[in-house]
Amino acid sequence: AIQMTQSPSSLSASVGDRVTITCRASQGIRNDLGWYQQKPGKAPKLLIYAASNLQSGVPSRFSGSGSGTDFTLTISSLQPEDFATYYCLHDYNYPLTFGGGTKVEIK
Amino acid sequence: EVQLLESGGGLVQPGGSLRLSCAASGFTFSSYYMSWVRQAPGKGLEWVSGISGSGGTTYYADSVKGRFTISRDNFKNTLYLQMNTLRAEDTADYYCAKWVIDMGFDYWGQGTLVTVSS
């Protein structure tokens, strides 16, 4: 199974900060990667698909990049509603695997 | 409006069985792959199992292979997860999710909690 290593596991940031989260696959996965946001007690929400495509309704401050083994989620200007946990997920083959998550907390 | 509503969670003893259901509405159920994703208390997300739109192809995580069975009834617009030989480490919130090819999980249910404990 492909392993997804996400970093950092947590970070503290202020409103307005630029935030970058990375995900590394244990083998090449083309651009078969998505990013999800989860808030406490809620189901995850799709933000980015196919590494760099913004899901409908998601604010443009979210962006994704990368291909092969290294991927990045960037929040250009952190907003109060963005404090949450973020997960990458590869869909290159089965079994699908999530990264370990990055908790974004208020500084 | 797309809705996914899980049910069937609860407390079960180790070695026991449970069947989860996910009632879908608001889309053509038979046209989409579906999956179960779980989250242990305070932990990250784990994909558990997936099934094709027809039900003819199924996939499982190694952690549940041979113990869990995913199925669907396209007439009832319902997804199922039969869980046997349950272990303490299966304790989690279980979400059903709709999969769009080349996109991802675009809709999720609210989750149902399974607790495996004596």
Side-chain angles (χ1 to χ4, degrees):
Chain A
I2 296 172
Q3 307 301 315
M4 303 302 296
T5 303
Q6 196 172 330
S7 62
S9 56
S10 66
L11 65 89
S12 295
S14 301
V15 172
D17 284 354
R18 181 182 183 88
V19 168
T20 299
I21 299 167
T22 64
C23 206
R24 173 165 289 177
S26 59
Q27 67 180 73
I29 59 170
R30 301 179 306 203
N31 69 336
D32 295 337
L33 184 112
W35 289 97
Y36 294 79
Q37 176 194 65
Q38 187 181 33
K39 296 182 179 179
K42 299 294 187 181
K45 172 187 174 184
L46 177 64
L47 299 177
I48 300 286
Y49 64 93
S52 60
N53 293 274
L54 195 67
Q55 171 68 340
S56 176
V58 174
S60 59
R61 62 181 180 272
F62 291 93
S63 64
S65 65
S67 67
T69 59
D70 294 307
F71 301 86
T72 300
L73 172 70
T74 300
I75 309 172
S76 60
S77 177
L78 198 65
Q79 297 302 300
E81 60 268 32
D82 301 336
F83 291 96
T85 301
Y86 294 83
Y87 295 92
C88 62
L89 168 70
H90 91 79
D91 60 287
Y92 178 76
N93 60 10
Y94 286 97
L96 309 183
T97 46
F98 287 91
T102 297
K103 186 173 184 179
V104 177
E105 299 176 299
I106 301 172
K107 182 182 284 185
Chain B
E1 179 192 4
V2 172
Q3 290 193 337
L4 299 171
L5 185 62
E6 301 97 336
S7 61
L11 175 64
V12 61
Q13 291 188 337
S17 298
L18 211 56
R19 188 177 84 155
L20 305 183
S21 299
C22 172
S25 61
F27 65 102
T28 305
F29 183 66
S30 61
S31 295
Y32 292 91
Y33 278 67
M34 298 290 295
S35 273
W36 290 97
V37 175
R38 69 184 180 183
Q39 186 168 38
K43 302 297 184 183
L45 299 170
E46 180 187 15
W47 175 83
V48 172
S49 183
I51 188 168
S52 63
S54 67
T57 305
T58 58
Y59 307 91
Y60 297 94
D62 288 345
S63 58
V64 306
K65 199 174 294 183
R67 300 188 299 123
F68 290 10
T69 302
I70 191 171
S71 62
R72 63 194 297 161
D73 185 331
N74 286 343
F75 293 103
K76 294 183 178 179
N77 288 349
T78 302
L79 176 72
Y80 302 101
L81 186 67
Q82 176 67 43
M83 303 185 296
N84 298 332
T85 320
L86 282 161
R87 307 166 180 166
E89 54 265 36
D90 296 318
T91 294
D93 279 312
Y94 284 74
Y95 296 96
C96 68
K98 171 178 169 282
W99 177 261
V100 177
I101 293 173
D102 294 331
M103 180 176 286
F105 294 120
D106 64 340
Y107 285 96
W108 298 66
Q110 85 292 342
T112 187
L113 178 62
V114 172
T115 303
V116 184
S117 175
S118 55

